[in-house]
Amino acid sequence: MHPCLKLQEILRIIFEYSLLIGKAGNHDAPNDTSTLAGIARTCRTFQDPALDVLYANLGSIEPLFFCIPNFIVTCKNHYSRRREHVSGRQMTRKDWKFFLRYSSRVCALDVGEDDKRSAFPVRLYQELCSKWDPSNPPFPRLRRLVWQELCQEAFPLLRLLLTPSITGLSIPFAYQLQASIISDLPSLCPNLKKLQFWGSGGKSNPRKDMSDISDHLCADSGRVLKHLVARVSSMKEQRLPLRV
């Protein structure tokens, strides 16, 4: 093996480029992870840097649970025609070690959108919260979080994910969240630089999107939001996208 391939920095550049090979000029296409997954299995020298790149940006929390052997069973609902994931047991200590091995590599995470399309069970969010150890958090490298899950049972996970490592955050202006999360952001995420809010209507219902945001700006959340930038010294950008 050439000496330069023993440098982690060079390997990461090569592996990051491998994700772009399958796009063939289409920048909106999903990353082709098959090549990188194969590289990670090639040798021990390649394994860790390849896995770091492979799990650095996740569009769903699903892949982390699929890393646990024989934990998730996938089936298809004949009525909704969606993939559904079923777990027949609780996470063991060994399962949790598998989860941590991969979650510790995540730098950017989207929670909710892709999980909804595949009917991801909220119970797994709750189980993740029950295993959470503040002294050994599962996402120590997490920098960017996009939260799109509006199910109230999943909100405790959101609070656990809001750590000082977060610099970019996108959350809904939904009535379920109220002002508590916003008011706690300065203490939970003191290094936050970019904050984006969106309404629960999303792209499919822009009127509902605008209604949510306007309602909250006129309520307690709006008053708390006014003081947020002043309390978070690292804040550089704040967005309220209104789709019309």
Side-chain angles (χ1 to χ4, degrees):
M1 181 182 296
H2 196 283
C4 71
L5 294 180
K6 296 181 181 180
L7 297 176
Q8 300 284 311
E9 294 80 4
I10 293 179
L11 287 177
R12 284 192 175 89
I13 293 174
I14 296 173
F15 297 157
E16 287 171 357
Y17 178 76
S18 72
L19 287 177
L20 305 176
I21 295 177
K23 291 194 173 186
N26 183 5
H27 298 291
D28 295 327
N31 289 329
D32 178 15
T33 59
S34 58
T35 299
L36 192 53
I39 293 174
R41 295 190 291 267
T42 301
C43 65
R44 291 185 179 181
T45 302
F46 291 170
Q47 186 180 60
D48 278 334
L51 289 176
D52 284 345
V53 175
L54 188 61
Y55 286 91
N57 299 281
L58 292 185
S60 166
I61 203 169
E62 280 185 10
L64 298 174
F65 284 100
F66 280 109
C67 292
I68 304 174
N70 304 317
F71 183 68
I72 299 293
V73 178
T74 304
C75 58
K76 187 174 182 179
N77 188 307
H78 293 289
Y79 297 99
S80 64
R81 297 184 179 277
R82 295 193 305 174
R83 290 180 300 134
E84 292 189 352
H85 305 312
V86 180
S87 172
R89 58 182 173 85
Q90 292 185 337
M91 290 180 70
T92 64
R93 183 174 299 180
K94 187 176 181 180
D95 293 335
W96 184 240
K97 287 183 177 179
F98 272 107
F99 187 92
L100 292 178
R101 181 184 177 189
Y102 299 96
S103 67
S104 61
R105 307 173 191 271
V106 178
C107 299
L109 177 65
D110 289 27
V111 178
E113 190 64 24
D114 287 345
D115 302 327
K116 287 179 183 177
R117 285 198 290 268
S118 58
F120 196 70
V122 174
R123 186 184 68 79
L124 292 180
Y125 293 146
Q126 297 171 328
E127 188 149 14
L128 179 56
C129 292
S130 68
K131 299 292 183 181
W132 198 286
D133 180 5
S135 64
N136 185 26
F139 297 94
R141 300 185 188 178
L142 189 61
R143 300 289 182 271
R144 183 185 66 84
L145 174 64
V146 177
W147 184 270
Q148 303 183 71
E149 178 59 73
L150 296 178
C151 179
Q152 294 188 33
E153 288 80 0
F155 287 169
L157 176 59
L158 170 60
R159 183 170 288 275
L160 290 174
L161 288 171
L162 295 176
T163 61
S165 66
I166 296 289
T167 58
L169 176 64
S170 176
I171 56 176
F173 245 145
Y175 73 92
Q176 300 100 318
L177 283 177
Q178 302 177 346
S180 59
I181 291 290
I182 301 176
S183 61
D184 290 341
L185 279 179
S187 58
L188 294 173
C189 306
N191 299 309
L192 192 63
K193 295 181 180 179
K194 182 178 179 180
L195 177 62
Q196 180 172 339
F197 292 98
W198 51 274
S200 62
K203 294 181 180 179
S204 62
N205 192 348
R207 289 181 179 273
K208 181 68 167 62
D209 193 28
M210 294 180 66
S211 174
D212 281 346
I213 293 177
S214 62
D215 288 347
H216 282 78
L217 284 176
C218 296
D220 291 339
S221 298
R223 289 192 290 273
V224 173
L225 183 61
K226 288 170 59 178
H227 303 286
L228 184 60
V229 177
R231 294 178 60 191
V232 182
S233 58
S234 61
M235 183 76 70
K236 293 182 179 180
E237 184 176 348
Q238 200 173 21
R239 291 186 179 183
L240 290 170
L242 299 179
R243 291 179 282 271
V244 293

